[in-house]
Amino acid sequence: MQSTLRRVATASFARRAAFSSVPEASGKMTLNFNLPHETIYSGVQVSSVIVPGAAGEYGVTADHVPLVAQLKAGVLQILHEASGEPEKYFVAGGFSLTHENSVTDITCPEAVKLDDIDGVAVSANFDVAKSKYSSAASGSSEQAEAQVEMEVNRSMGAALGMTLN
């Protein structure tokens, strides 16, 4: 057991030493952003990405530590230039995988540009889901589905600056 740990520790040290000789980073990272039915970005160089992680919002830049995170419904922000305005998408959930080579893969079941979301429709959909929730049997799958619809629409509304109760 002890010799196995030494081999692992030695290999880990050798990998760190090899990475310390990597040339200076460009300040850019590579983004792959995919939906089941569409690729939004593939191999695009960006300055950073702000991710709505289930454990909290976080930013990813070049040379970020490797990380796997579940996404919650919220706003994904892509900064193409460090000083520019972010491109914003509402995502309903998904996963983000940041690799040690400054590549981040984001996979979501659905994403919509924030500018394309209709606040009136979000409010109406929230009200319909709230009504379904109230009329469904307690603990039923219909009530659970309505609760998910309410939460997604509440998150979309929040992304637009609306408060839905």
Side-chain angles (χ1 to χ4, degrees), residues 1-13:
M1 171 75 125
Q2 197 171 25
S3 65
T4 301
L5 290 175
R6 274 194 209 114
R7 279 195 309 262
V8 171
T10 303
S12 177
F13 180 75

Side-chain angles (χ1 to χ4, degrees), residues 47-124:
S47 178
S48 65
V49 179
I50 300 172
V51 179
E57 185 177 84
Y58 66 95
V60 179
T61 58
D63 299 320
H64 196 283
V65 297
L67 179 65
V68 176
Q70 181 179 355
L71 306 184
K72 67 178 182 180
V75 179
L76 175 78
Q77 299 179 57
I78 303 167
L79 285 93
H80 294 275
E81 298 297 327
S83 60
E85 194 65 28
E87 182 179 14
K88 297 179 180 180
Y89 287 87
F90 178 81
V91 296
F95 290 91
S96 174
L97 288 82
T98 298
H99 308 275
E100 59 187 20
N101 60 351
S102 294
V103 174
T104 294
D105 299 318
I106 296 176
T107 305
C108 301
E110 194 61 58
V112 179
K113 275 200 163 192
L114 207 56
D115 295 339
D116 295 341
I117 297 176
D118 179 2
V120 174
V122 170
S123 183

Side-chain angles (χ1 to χ4, degrees), residues 25 29 32 34-35 38 41 53 71 89 116-117 133 135 150 161:
M29 59 176 280
N32 299 310
N34 297 289
L35 311 178
E38 176 184 8
Y41 287 118
L71 306 184
Y89 287 87
D116 295 341
I117 297 176
Y133 181 86
S135 64
M150 286 171 48

